[in-house]
Amino acid sequence: MKVFLSSTYLDLIEHRKAVVNALRTMGEEVDHMEIFGARNEEPTVASLEELDKCDVLVGVYLDRYGTIPKGSKTSVTEQEYFHAMSKEKPILVFVVNEDYDWPPKKMDESLTKIKKFKAKAAKEHTPEYFTSPDNLASKVVSSVGRLAKKLSPKPAFDSSSPIPYSSPKPTGSTLPNQPYFFGREKELQTIADAIAPESRTWGALIDGPGGIGKTALAIRAAHLSADTLFERKIFITAKVRELTPEGEKKLTDFTRPTYLAMLDELGKELGEENISRRAPEERPDALRLNLAGKKALIILDNLETLPEEERTRLFQFLSRLPDGNKAIVTSRRRSDVDARIVRLDRLSHDEAMQLIAELATKYARLRHASQTERDDLYYITQGNPLFIRWITGQLGREGSQCHTIAEACGFLAKAPKGNDPLEYIFGDLLETFTENEMKVLAALTHFTQPARPKWIAQMTELPERAAETALEDLTDRSILTSDLSGQTFLLPPLAAQFIRARKPEAVTRTGDVLIDRAYALVMQYGGNESTDFEKYPMLDAEWELVAAALPRFLTGSNDRLQTVCEQLRSFLNFSGRWDDRLWLYTQAEAQALSVNDKENAGWRSYQAGYTYYLRNQPAEVLTCAARAAEYWKDSTPRNKATAVQLRGLGHKLRQDYPAASATYREAWNIYRSISPESIDVSSALNDLAEVERINKDYPAAERDYKEALRIANKINDHEGIAVYTGNLAELALDRDQWVEAESLAREALAISEKVGRKELVASNCGHIAKSLLKQNHNLEEALSFSRRAIEIYMHLKSPELQQAQETLAKIEEAMRKSKS
């Protein structure tokens, strides 16, 4: 049956598209103005000529009267209606539901005319009332289906005619071939349980981000299901395209992109050849009855392609599957359905390595990749199988200039149109995001660690509840990974790369708010005075927000950047964020140097060097000391002494103790010439005492430690008091003074806890554990202190970890002996 679609155009563009697509899916021919093409005659003549060729007019009427041709008093749309009436053609009338949330009406003469026309059409024909495009399409399809059934004459039975051949009903499986599959054992077991006969659900719904392997998992689970459970295994996909290393390929011949198309395909698979000729509302129940007594496993793939109303109807159909039938469904959108939900995440490292090894049998260049390169590929793709296959495919693609994994990953950032995996996965989604969702996504691009809703609300200037709603909706669509119990959300790196490229203005706006908020936090809760230490927990709680802003500080004002570095100096050290400290200060040094700010370049080099000292990297310490000395060659005596002192730390790590002692004394003398009792003087004395302790000159070491401690007490330097008291405890351990060592270490630990410097906390926990072990009492307490030290050293990646582990082993051995 040929359908003529009559309506105004501009106000019903999306509605017309939905109707045309739905009718064509039914197999009906549709005539509509968009396909008339250029013609010599005026529009009304062309339109009525096309209407004459059609069997039925579908009239859709909103609030525009439409174009009135020159010399006429009625619009083209109304003329089409009366022409169909004059030709006695069937007319199906669809009128807007006035209760729906439509744009405001323009009050003019045309509104009066359309009201009169709609009233006349509704009086002469029983109308249906529509709202959304999907709602209208569904109602048009149902009405056309009923009309087609009514108009189709039933052929009289002729006993003399031969009985038409009926093809046998299909059997077996239409599952795609699957040459390889790796891992996902837990998910496969969940699906197996869901499709077992005793399961009280209709099956399993697999959701997850694009390209994560939902289809592959569904096919694998179906292949593994016992043939004794299912006589038929039917695979139907709504996917309209696929991505290969060469680019996107349409799946026109294999896709069933609507609810009705899926039902029609299922009917054909079940031997119901004429299912598509039934009225749309009759098909689901006809299929349900057909499935009764059968054992079919139905795999419905890529349901996110369907409009929400159609997905709902499909899930309603699945919830009424007769006993013996089960389904496996894949979708990016999370739904509340009566099925086992399988949330699919990235491949594990081992699973990804198996996939890469399999792909290496196909791509020669991939076979030569080192394990480090393969690990990098896993990190960049975040274990997404589609990205892994596409990137490795660039190594084997004809004409590709990519010879290494690094080059292939770099090609991802400039992939051409039609062969862009980021566009393939995320492009269709971009237009579906609400304004709030787009703001939230732009804000999340700045985070490499999970973010809290309150931070996103601050950056987007949305009410916190509105931000939470957007975050939850994006999580339901598998755009974000989230920890709902901890209320944190993360945008995967490649998705963030796509949003940054496609929505740079939104990203910039949220970034500007982020940097202002981070700067305020750093200024309020950072600092290096002893009175600032108690504020560090507040900064610690907001650190991921501040860390997200650091890359933007590096591209902004140098003065602001150096201020942030100075405010964070003690905090980063005390909280054990040594990786962050090294990265920030190395970058900030380069930034300062680019504007000839040698003063701050020297301090950033010194602070990076001190962090290398804590990690026992002498070559890096000496390199940083040399750079600081060069920057400060025309600077103040104090700065020059600081570079000298850093050089001494490098000599000490290299066990060149005479050189270390000489440089410490040089620095000490410069500091004393500036002020006889200062933090700098006590720090140099402490370094000198450390070399004396190593050289077993215990009296000299005790003298200098105690003098450093006296100065620290006098100037109220709490950090120094913690350091020097802890060093006296270590000196007591060297002297086998176990009781005194325990007492000093406990005193130092209490101050270190208050100051909040984790490295000192670990050190003093270790001293207490050793002293208790040597006294051979309170070994349970010693065990607790030892484990705490190890935990902190592991977090810090400290070279002291090995010694702490050795102490723990000795304590455990002593405990075993005492029990025996």
Side-chain angles (χ1 to χ4, degrees):
M1 187 163 63
K2 191 170 184 179
V3 179
F4 186 90
L5 179 57
S6 173
S7 79
T8 50
Y9 180 71
L10 292 176
D11 54 340
L12 286 165
I13 292 175
E14 295 304 320
H15 288 73
R16 291 175 64 87
K17 284 181 183 177
V19 170
V20 170
N21 290 337
L23 287 172
R24 284 178 174 166
T25 299
M26 275 182 69
E28 306 294 357
E29 188 177 353
V30 189
D31 219 338
H32 52 111
M33 69 177 74
E34 291 90 332
I35 63 171
F36 288 176
R39 300 200 181 187
N40 188 41
E41 62 265 31
E42 63 98 11
T44 307
V45 174
S47 175
L48 299 183
E49 284 180 357
E50 294 297 329
L51 175 53
D52 285 339
K53 302 174 188 176
C54 295
D55 302 306
V56 58
L57 179 138
V58 170
V60 181
Y61 308 123
L62 185 56
D63 289 314
R64 288 187 76 248
Y65 184 60
T67 301
I68 301 175
K70 187 176 181 181
S72 175
K73 294 182 179 180
T74 55
S75 68
V76 174
T77 305
E78 188 168 356
Q79 290 184 52
E80 289 168 349
Y81 174 84
F82 285 117
H83 188 74
M85 288 276 287
S86 70
K87 298 291 185 179
E88 297 184 347
K89 292 182 182 289
I91 297 175
L92 301 175
V93 173
F94 299 86
V95 178
V96 60
N97 184 334
E98 299 291 350
D99 293 333
Y100 193 62
D101 185 20
W102 296 99
K105 300 171 186 175
K106 183 179 179 182
M107 302 302 295
D108 56 16
E109 182 185 357
S110 67
L111 186 59
T112 303
K113 287 187 174 184
I114 187 61
K115 280 186 175 181
K116 287 182 179 179
F117 173 47
K118 284 193 295 185
K120 180 176 179 59
K123 183 178 179 180
E124 294 172 343
H125 299 86
T126 303
E128 288 217 51
Y129 295 91
F130 69 88
T131 56
S132 67
D134 290 335
N135 175 265
L136 173 63
S138 175
K139 292 187 174 185
V140 170
V141 165
S142 296
S143 297
V144 170
R146 281 194 297 268
L147 180 64
K149 187 176 181 182
K150 181 179 177 181
L151 296 178
S152 297
K154 294 185 178 178
F157 177 71
D158 183 357
S159 59
S160 65
S161 299
I163 298 174
Y165 171 75
S166 177
S167 59
K169 294 184 178 180
T171 59
S173 166
T174 60
L175 295 177
N177 183 40
Q178 195 171 45
Y180 55 81
F181 185 88
F182 303 105
R184 308 291 201 191
E185 285 84 4
K186 181 180 177 181
E187 291 85 356
L188 286 168
Q189 186 58 54
T190 299
I191 297 171
D193 293 343
I195 62 176
E198 62 273 15
S199 171
R200 302 183 68 179
T201 69
W202 55 253
L205 169 63
I206 306 169
D207 73 29
I212 207 67
K214 300 181 291 295
T215 302
L217 176 62
I219 293 170
R220 179 62 173 171
H223 275 301
L224 292 176
S225 64
D227 291 338
T228 54
L229 290 180
F230 302 108
E231 300 165 346
R232 299 279 288 126
K233 297 178 182 179
I234 301 168
F235 179 82
I236 302 172
T237 183
K239 188 179 294 184
V240 296
R241 56 202 171 96
E242 66 179 356
L243 183 68
T244 71
E246 290 73 30
E248 291 186 24
K249 309 293 182 186
K250 290 184 178 180
L251 296 174
T252 309
D253 297 335
F254 306 102
T255 185
R256 301 295 179 266
T258 69
Y259 167 61
L260 289 175
M262 284 188 147
L263 291 188
D264 291 348
E265 182 69 15
L266 180 58
K268 292 174 184 176
E269 292 280 357
L270 295 169
E272 285 284 337
E273 295 291 340
N274 295 321
I275 188 70
S276 61
R277 302 202 63 81
R278 289 180 176 269
E281 69 273 15
E282 295 177 1
R283 297 180 204 177
D285 202 48
L287 283 175
R288 184 182 66 83
L289 294 173
N290 185 286
L291 284 164
K294 291 186 171 64
K295 294 180 179 179
L297 177 60
I298 306 163
I299 295 87
L300 301 176
D301 179 47
N302 224 64
L303 290 202
E304 69 268 16
T305 304
L306 306 184
E308 184 174 356
E309 183 178 336
E310 292 195 8
R311 282 198 309 276
T312 300
R313 294 174 68 191
L314 190 53
F315 287 133
Q316 289 172 345
F317 171 74
L318 294 176
S319 70
R320 291 163 175 79
L321 286 177
D323 285 346
N325 299 278
K326 295 288 184 180
I328 303 172
V329 171
T330 75
S331 176
R332 285 193 208 179
R333 289 179 177 268
R334 297 183 178 177
S335 302
D336 184 13
V337 295
D338 183 24
R340 291 290 296 274
I341 309 298
V342 179
R343 310 280 195 217
L344 201 57
D345 201 356
R346 64 182 178 177
L347 293 172
S348 70
H349 182 271
D350 288 345
E351 292 166 351
M353 291 304 111
Q354 292 177 64
L355 173 60
I356 293 169
E358 175 64 33
L359 294 170
T361 64
K362 182 178 179 181
Y363 303 125
R365 291 172 181 172
L366 182 59
R367 285 198 292 274
H368 302 304
S370 67
Q371 185 58 50
T372 299
E373 290 177 299
R374 297 182 185 204
D375 290 341
D376 289 343
L377 175 61
Y378 178 71
Y379 173 76
I380 290 167
T381 62
Q382 292 291 291
N384 183 300
L386 182 141
F387 284 124
I388 292 174
R389 286 196 299 270
W390 185 87
I391 289 173
T392 57
Q394 301 313 304
L395 300 179
R397 180 171 57 83
E398 186 176 348
S400 171
Q401 301 301 309
C402 301
H403 295 80
T404 66
I405 286 177
E407 290 174 352
C409 290
F411 181 64
L412 179 65
K414 53 181 184 293
K417 185 177 181 180
N419 192 19
D420 182 348
L422 294 176
E423 184 69 34
Y424 173 79
I425 289 180
F426 304 115
D428 289 347
L429 296 171
L430 200 60
E431 301 307 318
T432 70
F433 297 138
T434 66
E435 183 180 354
N436 285 358
E437 287 172 345
M438 196 65 254
K439 289 179 179 179
V440 163
L441 287 168
L444 284 168
T445 62
H446 302 284
F447 291 87
T448 58
Q449 298 296 320
R452 297 181 196 165
K454 76 168 187 176
W455 298 339
I456 303 304
Q458 291 165 355
M459 293 170 64
T460 56
E461 300 177 333
L462 291 172
E464 191 163 341
R465 184 62 200 130
E468 288 174 356
T469 299
L471 288 164
E472 289 163 3
D473 288 347
L474 290 167
T475 299
D476 285 343
R477 293 157 70 186
S478 301
I479 308 298
L480 309 181
T481 57
S482 62
D483 176 4
L484 293 179
S485 60
Q487 277 289 291
T488 58
F489 300 83
L490 179 67
L491 182 63
L494 290 175
Q497 178 180 324
F498 176 77
I499 297 295
R500 282 193 291 268
R502 292 292 298 273
K503 296 292 181 179
E505 300 87 357
V507 172
T508 298
R509 281 194 298 271
T510 54
D512 291 343
V513 178
L514 167 66
I515 200 170
D516 289 342
R517 175 63 182 156
Y519 187 76
L521 287 169
V522 169
M523 298 308 293
Q524 183 175 1
Y525 298 118
N528 304 292
E529 302 297 327
S530 59
T531 54
D532 294 325
F533 302 159
E534 62 189 28
K535 299 185 295 183
Y536 288 174
M538 298 295 294
L539 190 55
D540 192 67
E542 301 287 310
W543 176 247
E544 296 304 338
L545 174 72
V546 175
L550 294 181
R552 290 185 64 85
F553 281 120
L554 289 167
T555 60
S557 157
N558 178 66
D559 289 344
R560 199 179 201 191
L561 169 64
Q562 304 305 331
T563 299
V564 167
C565 288
E566 185 58 22
Q567 283 290 106
L568 291 175
R569 173 167 54 86
S570 294
F571 168 77
L572 290 174
N573 187 23
F574 289 16
S575 62
R577 290 184 166 85
W578 293 352
D579 286 338
D580 291 334
R581 197 172 196 251
L582 274 175
W583 174 81
L584 176 61
Y585 288 155
T586 301
Q587 300 294 320
E589 178 187 344
Q591 174 74 356
L593 208 56
S594 70
V595 295
N596 202 33
D597 179 7
K598 293 185 177 180
E599 173 76 10
N600 279 309
W603 281 112
R604 302 297 86 83
S605 182
Y606 167 79
Q607 284 145 7
Y610 188 77
T611 309
Y612 284 125
Y613 165 73
L614 294 172
R615 287 197 163 159
N616 196 20
Q617 295 176 257
E620 288 80 1
V621 174
L622 290 169
T623 299
C624 288
R627 289 206 307 270
E630 176 62 25
Y631 299 147
W632 286 337
K633 62 184 179 182
D634 298 320
S635 188
T636 64
R638 179 174 184 262
N639 286 2
K640 293 177 180 179
T642 301
V644 169
Q645 188 178 8
L646 182 61
R647 189 168 75 246
L649 294 176
H651 290 318
K652 190 197 86 169
L653 290 181
R654 281 191 165 173
Q655 300 181 7
D656 185 352
Y657 301 124
S661 181
T663 51
Y664 289 152
R665 288 189 182 279
E666 180 184 351
W668 178 52
N669 285 326
I670 298 173
Y671 289 142
R672 280 203 309 166
S673 69
I674 300 169
S675 174
E677 294 181 336
S678 66
I679 288 178
D680 294 333
V681 170
S682 60
S683 172
L685 276 173
N686 176 70
D687 289 341
L688 189 59
E690 179 71 4
V691 173
E692 291 163 345
R693 183 188 65 78
I694 292 169
N695 287 329
K696 299 188 185 305
D697 188 354
Y698 296 143
E702 181 179 8
R703 178 196 67 224
D704 289 336
Y705 278 141
K706 286 185 173 180
E707 176 60 12
L709 181 60
R710 182 192 69 79
I711 295 173
N713 275 301
K714 184 174 181 180
I715 61 177
N716 206 27
D717 174 17
H718 295 290
E719 180 187 2
I721 294 169
V723 172
Y724 311 144
T725 305
N727 286 345
L728 282 168
E730 187 171 17
L731 178 62
L733 286 172
D734 287 348
R735 288 173 149 181
D736 299 341
Q737 297 169 346
W738 318 126
V739 175
E740 184 178 354
E742 178 189 351
S743 175
L744 286 165
R746 289 184 185 275
E747 180 183 349
L749 177 61
I751 305 169
S752 301
E753 295 269 27
K754 186 175 181 180
V755 169
R757 185 168 162 184
K758 289 188 176 182
E759 161 232 347
L760 295 182
V761 171
S763 174
N764 287 300
C765 283
H767 295 338
I768 295 171
K770 283 182 186 177
S771 62
L772 291 173
L773 172 64
K774 293 297 184 178
Q775 295 173 70
N776 199 31
H777 74 246
N778 292 343
L779 292 180
E780 288 286 352
E781 187 182 19
L783 185 70
S784 176
F785 278 114
S786 181
R787 285 174 174 167
R788 188 178 180 201
I790 287 173
E791 181 182 352
I792 296 173
Y793 283 141
M794 287 179 68
H795 169 73
L796 298 176
K797 302 176 186 174
S798 169
E800 302 298 327
L801 176 61
Q802 182 178 349
Q803 189 178 49
Q805 290 171 329
E806 291 171 358
T807 300
L808 176 63
K810 291 176 182 177
I811 293 170
E812 290 173 338
E813 178 63 23
M815 291 177 73
R816 282 194 293 271
K817 288 181 179 179
S818 66
K819 287 179 181 178
S820 62

